[in-house]
Amino acid sequence: MTTSYTRYERARIVGARSLQISMGAPLLVKTDKIDPLEIALEEYQKGVIPITVKRR
């Protein structure tokens, strides 16, 4: 991960990705976890979530 996000941006990114996973989106990492939030956190830590943040 190259960009530093605020805790609010991080929460928004992980929450949005968790919702996507719970709705059936394909996983971006290999994992044994089944909880969408834990999977989204793992994807965030590995820097593979394809979500960007636009700042004004």
Side-chain angles (χ1 to χ4, degrees):
M1 183 172 60
T2 59
T3 306
S4 178
Y5 294 113
T6 66
R7 61 184 172 177
Y8 305 106
E9 291 168 339
R10 177 181 175 269
R12 179 75 167 113
I13 291 169
V14 172
R17 181 62 186 146
S18 177
L19 180 61
Q20 290 175 351
I21 293 168
S22 69
M23 298 296 244
L27 304 181
L28 302 175
V29 294
K30 274 201 158 207
T31 184
D32 293 333
K33 299 176 181 172
I34 56 172
D35 180 36
L37 183 57
E38 289 180 9
I39 296 168
L41 282 169
E42 187 174 332
E43 289 181 348
Y44 179 82
Q45 291 168 348
K46 291 186 178 182
V48 297
I49 298 179
I51 297 176
T52 57
V53 175
K54 286 190 174 183
R55 297 179 180 152
R56 290 190 244 165

